[in-house]
């Protein structure tokens, strides 16, 4: 198919991963890069063979069909809106917006302009999460009853060179790492019905520990630990996410059912070893090799080999633009996901139960045969030494 012509806004930590994915996929063509920093723009553009332009020039370029927004979360609403007003399709890093009202407005704007929108995270396209979904749908654990997820980190300043945004409004854990988990659970269980959350913070200031600004002290102005209950139609999920855990702790997720337990893989990546525990049978690791996006393809910042196909959601959107197919992170999925993020923070601040007003369908599963084009057109394996996580 004719590649969809792309302009990228933003050149931060996550941009290298996306730009590698874009330049390796025949489904898309990189034309321009824009940021607020002319030097960063020029460096990235030269590295990936694109033009370095201003944001205004990128949006005015009639050849660009799709804008990929990789700016900090607090800027997403404004840039996504400007791109839609300029007649561009939009694929955004998460969160697409910081409020349900803003996400709804942008979705309605896209519909009125006959434009498509998509959003990260797309890690649920991965082999581990697809295998877990298919096992659940096949009745491997019986009727779902409740689930748990726990992500604990000492703080993003340990590995992020500019972490301040994550300790200000709009950068709280539910808007940052949280979407990987809420998206994983929506993929499994469908839309969230209501949310209750409590929160707190362990420190009033933090110190940057990496990069040229190492030693810089900055204030913490938001809560950094959230203890949340997500109520779905079929089950409830206890989700704890914190930047106040002195030793990193990861329990990606377990779903307890009437006939067994489904153990999930890390939702920040595409691969892993999901498993089913259904006595009297022993723990059984689910087969993932026959799923799409299964092969480990690079090293993360710790040296661990991981399957990381960030960009699959972008290619899914490009296919939808060209063929009229239905991509998996469409408008209603985006609006609902944003409302869940907002509800976690809002519930914690008000100590009240939040009933959600939006809903969505579970995204379609990845079928290796039906989605052969998506798998083939997604960026070929690459290997980077830095982490692909934008945290």
């Amino acid at each position: 198919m004719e590649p969809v012509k792309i302009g990228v806004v933003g050149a931060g930590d996550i941009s290298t991963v996306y730009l590698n994915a874009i330049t390796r996929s025949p489904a898309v063509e990189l034309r321009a890069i824009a940021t607020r920093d002319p030097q960063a723009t020029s460096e990235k553009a030269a590295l990936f063979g694109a033009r370095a332009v201003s944001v205004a020039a990128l949006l005015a370029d009639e050849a660009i069909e799709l804008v990929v927004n990789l700016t900090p979360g607090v800027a997403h609403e404004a840039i996504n809106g400007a791109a839609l007003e300029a007649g561009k399709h939009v694929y955004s890093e998460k969160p697409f917006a910081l409020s349900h009202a803003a996400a709804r407005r942008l979705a309605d704007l896209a519909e009125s302009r006959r434009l498509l929108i998509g959003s990260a995270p797309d890690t649920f396209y991965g082999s581990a999460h697809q295998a877990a979904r298919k096992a659940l749908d096949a009745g491997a654990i019986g009727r779902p009853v409740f689930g748990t997820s726990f992500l604990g980190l000492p703080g993003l300043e340990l590995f992020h060179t500019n972490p301040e945004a994550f300790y200000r409004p709009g950068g709280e854990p539910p808007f940052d790492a949280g979407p990987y988990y809420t998206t994983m659970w929506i993929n499994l269980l469908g839309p969230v019905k209501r949310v209750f959350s409590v929160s707190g913070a362990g420190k009033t200031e933090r110190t940057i520990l990496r990069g040229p600004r190492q030693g810089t002290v900055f204030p913490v102005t938001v809560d950094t630990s959230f203890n949340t209950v997500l109520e779905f139609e079929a089950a409830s999920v206890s989700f704890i996410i914190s930047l106040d855990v002195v030793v990193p702790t990861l329990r990606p997720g377990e779903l307890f059912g009437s006939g067994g337990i489904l153990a999930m893989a890390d939702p920040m990546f595409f691969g892993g070893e999901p498993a089913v525990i259904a006595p009297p049978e022993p723990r059984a690791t689910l087969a993932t090799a026959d799923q799409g996006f299964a092969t480990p393809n690079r090293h993360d910042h710790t040296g661990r080999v991981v399957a990381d196909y960030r960009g699959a959601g972008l290619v899914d959107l490009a296919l939808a633009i060209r063929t009229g197919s239905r991509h998996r992170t469409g408008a209603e999925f985006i609006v609902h996901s944003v409302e869940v993020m907002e509800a976690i923070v809002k519930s914690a601040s008000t100590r009240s139960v939040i009933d959600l007003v939006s809903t969505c369908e579970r995204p379609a599963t990845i079928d290796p045969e039906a989605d052969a084009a998506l798998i083939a057109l997604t960026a070929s394996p690459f290997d980077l030494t830095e982490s692909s996580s934008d945290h």
Side-chain angles (χ1 to χ4, degrees):
M1 71 179 201
E2 179 186 356
V4 175
K5 297 174 179 61
I6 284 179
V8 172
V9 180
D13 285 7
I14 194 65
S15 64
T16 300
V17 174
Y18 272 93
L19 291 166
N20 270 291
I22 291 167
T23 54
R24 283 167 168 75
S25 174
V28 291
E29 176 186 323
L30 178 64
R31 291 186 62 89
I33 300 173
T35 75
R36 294 177 298 179
D37 182 343
Q39 182 177 349
T41 304
S42 297
E43 290 173 354
K44 287 286 185 179
L47 186 61
F48 289 95
R51 292 182 296 116
V53 300
S54 67
V55 174
L58 186 150
L59 296 179
D61 187 340
E62 294 184 356
I64 291 176
E65 303 169 83
L66 169 62
V67 169
V68 177
N69 183 2
L70 306 179
T71 60
V74 293
H76 286 180
E77 178 184 348
I79 292 175
N80 290 340
L84 292 170
E85 292 284 5
K88 315 297 187 187
H89 306 284
V90 173
Y91 187 87
S92 178
E93 250 302 320
K94 45 76 185 166
F96 196 86
L98 293 178
S99 71
H100 170 247
R104 182 74 272 166
R105 180 184 68 80
L106 293 172
D108 291 345
L109 175 60
E111 183 178 15
S112 71
R113 298 295 182 94
R114 297 185 178 180
L115 298 168
L116 298 181
I117 58 175
S119 179
D122 57 1
T123 49
F124 71 91
Y125 286 48
S127 57
H129 311 296
Q130 292 297 311
R133 162 80 177 267
K134 290 173 182 177
L136 174 64
D137 290 353
I141 64 168
R143 180 177 59 83
V145 180
F146 73 98
T148 63
S149 284
F150 179 27
L151 172 63
L153 297 171
L156 303 178
E157 65 276 12
L158 271 68
F159 52 85
H160 202 293
T161 56
N162 295 288
E164 290 98 326
F166 303 107
Y167 297 93
R168 298 170 182 162
E172 298 97 321
F175 288 113
D176 176 40
Y180 292 104
Y181 289 81
T182 55
T183 297
M184 175 183 75
W185 284 110
I186 292 170
N187 176 57
L188 287 169
L189 298 173
V192 178
K193 292 177 59 180
R194 58 184 57 90
V195 170
F196 179 71
S197 184
V198 294
S199 64
K203 298 179 181 179
T204 58
E205 60 182 28
R206 302 262 179 160
T207 303
I208 298 175
L209 300 176
R210 176 188 173 196
R213 301 173 61 232
Q214 183 175 347
T216 301
V217 178
F218 61 91
V220 176
T221 61
V222 295
D223 282 350
T224 47
S225 294
F226 289 79
N227 191 345
T228 299
V229 174
L230 305 172
E231 183 182 348
F232 297 82
E233 186 68 41
S236 63
V237 171
S238 174
F239 174 35
I240 298 174
I241 183 169
S242 174
L243 301 181
D244 299 300
V245 179
V246 295
V247 177
T249 304
L250 174 63
R251 300 186 183 100
E254 290 181 305
L255 181 58
F256 298 84
S258 59
I261 303 168
L262 178 62
M264 274 81 79
D266 185 349
M268 291 190 186
F269 292 102
F270 285 65
E273 296 185 341
V276 167
I277 303 98
E281 299 299 322
R283 179 188 180 99
T285 300
L286 298 176
T288 59
D290 58 344
Q291 306 292 321
F293 315 116
T295 305
N297 61 351
R298 69 173 200 81
H299 296 86
D300 69 5
H301 69 285
T302 69
R304 180 176 56 138
V305 178
V306 295
D308 187 1
Y309 294 85
R310 278 171 172 80
L314 173 59
V315 173
D316 202 12
L317 177 58
L319 283 168
I321 292 169
R322 284 289 181 262
T323 69
S325 61
R326 187 176 182 183
H327 65 293
R328 289 166 176 80
T329 62
E332 297 311 313
F333 189 87
I334 288 172
V335 171
H336 185 67
S337 297
V338 169
E339 188 183 10
V340 174
M341 303 174 211
E342 180 190 30
I344 293 173
V345 176
K346 183 177 179 181
S347 174
S349 66
T350 61
R351 296 298 193 267
S352 62
V353 175
I354 305 294
D355 291 305
L356 274 66
V357 299
S358 66
T359 190
C360 68
E361 295 181 2
R362 290 198 302 170
T365 57
I366 300 291
D367 183 283
E369 293 186 8
D371 293 301
L374 169 63
I375 296 168
L377 289 168
T378 297
S380 58
F382 54 91
D383 192 308
L384 302 176
T385 56
E386 73 268 17
S387 169
S388 77
S389 174
D390 54 333
H391 304 143

